[in-house]
Amino acid sequence: MSNHTVNLQDKTPVESPNQRRALEAPLRVRRNPEAPPGTSKRTSPKATNNVQPRVLRTHFSYKIKQKLDTYQYTALPSPRSIRLLSFSPAENSTARIRCSIVTVNLDDRKSFNALSYTWGDPLWRGPNAPAAEYETCGHEIECDGKSLKVHKNLHDVLLRLREKLMTTLAGCTRHHDSVAKLLWLRKAAASSRDSKYWEASLIWIDAICINQEDLTERSAQVAIMGDIYCAASKVVVWLGPTDRDADAAIKVCSLLSTVPLKQLWTHQLRASQHMNSDETYRKLNIPRISPEQWAAFGSFMQRGWFSRAWILQEAVLARKVIVLYDRQEISWRNLIAGVKFVRFTDWDVNIAYLAFEAAGLQEGYRYNPHALTANCTKIACISDLRKEKQTDRSLWKMLTILRCCMAKDPRDLIYAALGMIDALLVPDYTKSTAQVYTEAAWAIVQESKNLQFLYFTTDISMRTTKDLPSWVPDWNARLRPSPLRGDPHGDGDGDKESRWYPAGDHRWNPPRGAFGSNKLTISVLQIDTVEATAVPYLGSSHSQPSDLCAILELATDHLQSPLGRVPSSRGYDALWRTLAADTIAKKPASEIFKSEWMFHYWLIHTLWQTCRLTAGSDTAEHTSLIKKAKFWFGKFAALDASGQVPSLEDAERDFPHLEAGSGPVHRMTQYNSSWYSRNMISICIGRRLFRSKNGLIGLGSDSVCAGDVVVTALGSDVPLILRPVADTSMTFQFLGQAYVHGIMHGEALKLLFEDGAEFEDIVLA
């Protein structure tokens, strides 16, 4: 090969033994004939102005970068075949990624790793500040000499994995050390498919190893994805680059990993005020964690990977989990420990708001305070599922965990669960999202033999999936309102006995032979018809005046309506239990000491806040709002016969104590009001109060209106609200679940049976 001069900036090196020898040879320098006596006559090319830097003359060739042909996939030879990716070594950490793809049979037990990552932006930046560079396949890699485009986050992790692999096998701590580079240039010369490097670099990556454009292949590969992650030697989790919060968050996890969970039971740390107490950390025997560190933890748990649907399968089935971010490795055990601590103590809400305040200081950054709770819950569930047998898992349980997850393809919110269970479903990307969701609902019906999946049916105003039957949960829509569960302690898996049984002990037999149909036949007993509704409950500090007026107006109207056949459905007791679904602090209200007085204090505190929020304004609207709130407050108090609703004068007498912010009246009011308000908000948001023709009061979804029908259905542990479909006699649209005080334990059945009523089959469409 002849010598030639090249410009290193414009050419791409071809790896060869000559390149290694050139790098090992000392750099020759020009002799300076004008060097003064007594000094060295050898100097660098830049030492004098009259000597020009020379261009390095080498004995190895360079090729000019040229446009590569696009990589073309070839069909896989068998249903159990998979592709694996192998990196080619590089002379530096930023060189173009070169790789090759090999096809193997999954049953051959080939040693390989699998990657778990997010296709989009790995950092949480908020909905108003998306990182567009992560959303497109704009980064090129060379695969078997051809061009293949990948997303930025995948390109980043490929660079990181290649660097980690090369430095590990080279025995060096840093890839850019000259020793490491020379060792790896030697390895490059000897690289082959039988080498240690090639074996160690084999990895399965969904975006590359599956032909995403071939829907048939994509469906077949997703169907065996659970087997792929089971077979992988380890699953590498990539959380993305570092940021200002990452190191502090990892430190928090490390500290919390030293605290045994049994200590949390001993010290009773569930109250949020313990989070900032020095005494708390002394009991736990760990250094104090500052609000800034908790905020960093909350922000870190917002990273894109934690919200992905597929991580449930990828992490649960993994033999070993390795977690990477930037050039750091995180202990999976420490991460789990930190998450479980936060979930056990219920500090996640406070941490979320700390992170929100910290993130709010950054321009263009918005924080979702609910994402931390959802992400921590999912990671804690993953830890528990790794200890379970596959036979203990159900499709319903997996989809309950996945309900708050995200996926680029909405069908993956179902398919991500299939690899962990024995299900009736098979991935098929030729089907529409509505078809997939409908088949999933039928699979749950056949599996559970009840209607508990209706917990997750979103209000019709919130739905995003087209052509979806009203009774099928839209897994891609925001869950609103929150589920009404007969077991407030449970997680929705149906394993615990419900405390509500409006249909008595009657059982439902699911229809046969209708799998995949858009219509579901159920057996119902009509209880009543909705006659009036309040405006939807908003639950924010700014909406408190209108919320209070809406509640008291309908409650007063209810007290003035004719008495129905269920006496317990009237008055103060019926109202406060309905607004909280008879549940306080995730427990039946009857288990909470003097829970009936919490609503008494909530009324006083909310009226005071209504007057206080509008006191600084002299607009006619605010003045009218105060008058309206006081009017309905006084009228409801006058009509109530329980004696637990304070009069308007008594309530106003407590206002100075509440304004002072101290004293026994303030403490008692603040404590009871906050307990009741916390539970009421979680139940009422996305719902509205209604009263029926026969004097019942209940809580239904936003879309409920006069004329809708209240029924109790076999297989459901709560009443349902249906809307008749025009021009049909027995076909209805499903609107949602309801809490209707006085019939939750089957009280209405006896009365209706005495009148000759009976369960009848209707069709949900």
Side-chain angles (χ1 to χ4, degrees), residues 7-32:
N7 187 330
L8 297 181
Q9 294 181 346
D10 298 334
K11 308 297 185 290
T12 302
V14 175
E15 300 157 351
S16 70
N18 292 333
Q19 180 183 8
R20 183 179 69 252
R21 288 195 295 271
L23 288 173
E24 291 174 342
L27 180 66
R28 299 180 182 274
V29 295
R30 299 183 186 275
R31 186 179 299 275
N32 183 3

Side-chain angles (χ1 to χ4, degrees), residues 16-172:
S16 70
N18 292 333
Q19 180 183 8
R20 183 179 69 252
R21 288 195 295 271
L23 288 173
E24 291 174 342
L27 180 66
R28 299 180 182 274
V29 295
R30 299 183 186 275
R31 186 179 299 275
N32 183 3
E34 299 181 2
T39 62
S40 172
K41 294 185 178 182
R42 298 180 68 85
T43 183
S44 71
K46 295 183 179 180
T48 60
N49 294 330
N50 61 336
V51 179
Q52 297 298 320
R54 72 179 178 86
V55 178
L56 176 65
R57 188 178 296 276
T58 67
H59 295 277
F60 52 92
S61 64
Y62 281 79
K63 65 179 180 181
I64 299 175
K65 284 185 178 179
Q66 58 184 353
K67 185 176 181 180
L68 301 175
D69 293 335
T70 302
Y71 182 84
Q72 300 295 326
Y73 286 91
T74 57
L76 292 169
S78 71
R80 298 286 292 175
S81 295
I82 63 171
R83 300 182 184 93
L84 295 176
L85 187 75
S86 177
F87 302 111
S88 296
E91 72 281 359
N92 61 67
S93 60
T94 59
R96 171 188 275 185
I97 295 172
R98 294 186 175 88
C99 58
S100 60
I101 290 180
V102 59
T103 301
V104 301
N105 192 294
L106 189 57
D107 297 326
D108 290 343
R109 299 183 181 278
K110 190 75 174 178
S111 177
F112 67 93
N113 298 327
L115 180 65
S116 176
Y117 71 110
T118 179
W119 284 29
D121 191 346
L123 302 178
W124 179 261
R125 305 179 191 275
N128 293 334
E133 59 180 338
Y134 284 97
E135 301 303 318
T136 58
C137 286
H139 291 260
E140 184 182 60
I141 65 172
E142 186 176 321
C143 186
D144 291 327
K146 303 295 178 65
S147 171
L148 188 64
K149 294 295 184 67
V150 298
H151 287 81
K152 174 174 170 51
N153 193 42
L154 178 53
H155 188 265
D156 290 346
V157 68
L158 290 175
L159 290 173
R160 174 69 180 97
L161 290 175
R162 182 181 65 181
E163 176 182 329
K164 179 178 175 62
L165 179 65
M166 293 173 68
T167 55
T168 300
L169 295 183
C172 300

Side-chain angles (χ1 to χ4, degrees), residues 749-765:
L749 295 184
K750 183 178 179 181
L751 298 174
L752 292 170
F753 288 159
E754 289 176 354
D755 294 340
E758 58 184 18
F759 283 94
E760 55 185 353
D761 289 344
I762 61 138
V763 175
L764 297 181

Side-chain angles (χ1 to χ4, degrees), residues 462-482:
M462 303 291 293
R463 296 189 160 216
T464 60
T465 302
K466 295 181 179 179
D467 304 321
L468 194 67
S470 64
W471 57 275
V472 175
D474 187 351
W475 300 96
N476 194 42
R478 178 185 174 189
L479 181 57
R480 180 171 173 168
S482 60

Side-chain angles (χ1 to χ4, degrees), residues 51 65 130 134 208 234 236 299 315 427 444 572 575 580 618 664 698 720:
V51 179
K65 284 185 178 179
Y134 284 97
I208 296 177
K234 60 186 176 185
V236 180
S299 178
I444 295 171
Y572 173 89
L575 179 61
D618 56 357
L720 309 177

Side-chain angles (χ1 to χ4, degrees), residues 407-432:
K408 282 188 173 292
D409 189 324
R411 293 168 291 189
D412 287 341
L413 295 171
I414 303 299
Y415 293 156
L418 302 185
M420 297 176 288
I421 57 174
D422 295 324
L424 299 173
L425 303 179
V426 176
D428 185 351
Y429 286 96
T430 64
K431 294 181 178 180
S432 68

Side-chain angles (χ1 to χ4, degrees), residues 309-329:
W310 284 107
I311 72 169
L312 189 66
Q313 176 177 266
E314 295 163 358
V316 167
L317 300 179
R319 299 182 190 178
K320 182 180 180 181
V321 179
I322 303 296
V323 185
L324 302 176
Y325 80 95
D326 201 60
R327 286 181 167 81
Q328 306 295 321
E329 183 171 328

